[in-house]
Amino acid sequence: MLNQTMMVLLYLAVFIIAQNQLKKLIKIQAIKKQVSEVRSRLVTRLISYFMFFVTLSVIAISLGLGYQEVSLFVSSAFAVLGVALFAQWSILSNITAGVLIFFVFPYRIGDRIKIVEKDEDMSGVIVEISLFHILLKRDSGDVMTYPNSLMLQKGVIKLANDAPSKKKVTAKRVIPKRL
């Protein structure tokens, strides 16, 4: 019994340490990619829930529940989750795409992009990157919402910002006049 308690405490300690390291890693990525704090907390929370679920399964096996019982519970939970989210497939795909965009999306807030679409001009400045969609502000001032799942499926072109052109300034040598 003492041995099992020590194993549970060890698993919980590993979970807590891994969760703290995960938070630090995501915070560094969020600063690097200029992602809002709300979004980084949401990604951290989603990954922490998954890690807790895995830790709970490992603890259940180490406490003497058989592998078959735990795997039956885990597969049943995933089946229920899958059936529940199958009706809302777009939500699940946008959440997955949102997590992927958090880690691998090469564009940041403030970048001017164009989504390759033949029917519509899909260009603008990225205003917000959330878990479900990306907000683009068009030149006309309109704000466009574009789903994350489609963002990963379409070609994206980074456009040059329309910042005022910086003229090259050359220094002139000033010779003081003699009186």
Side-chain angles (χ1 to χ4, degrees), residues 102-115:
F102 181 82
F103 289 106
V104 296
F105 196 58
Y107 311 109
R108 297 180 177 164
I109 293 174
D111 285 350
R112 185 168 171 68
I113 64 168
K114 178 178 183 175
I115 302 165

Side-chain angles (χ1 to χ4, degrees), residues 39-122:
R39 185 161 176 254
S40 64
R41 279 192 312 233
L42 189 58
V43 169
T44 303
R45 192 176 311 138
L46 284 173
I47 296 174
S48 292
Y49 287 155
F50 177 74
M51 285 175 38
F52 181 73
F53 189 72
V54 170
T55 304
L56 198 60
S57 300
V58 170
I59 288 173
I61 291 172
S62 69
L63 286 177
L65 291 176
Y67 177 75
Q68 289 180 337
E69 288 86 6
V70 173
S71 65
L72 178 66
F73 171 73
V74 170
S75 63
S76 298
F78 277 123
V80 169
L81 185 64
V83 168
L85 293 175
F86 182 73
Q88 296 296 327
W89 183 254
S90 63
I91 291 175
L92 181 61
S93 64
N94 280 324
I95 290 173
T96 305
V99 172
L100 286 173
I101 285 173
F102 181 82
F103 289 106
V104 296
F105 196 58
Y107 311 109
R108 297 180 177 164
I109 293 174
D111 285 350
R112 185 168 171 68
I113 64 168
K114 178 178 183 175
I115 302 165
V116 179
E117 189 77 38
K118 67 179 183 178
D119 296 335
E120 179 86 24
D121 178 30
M122 307 290 261

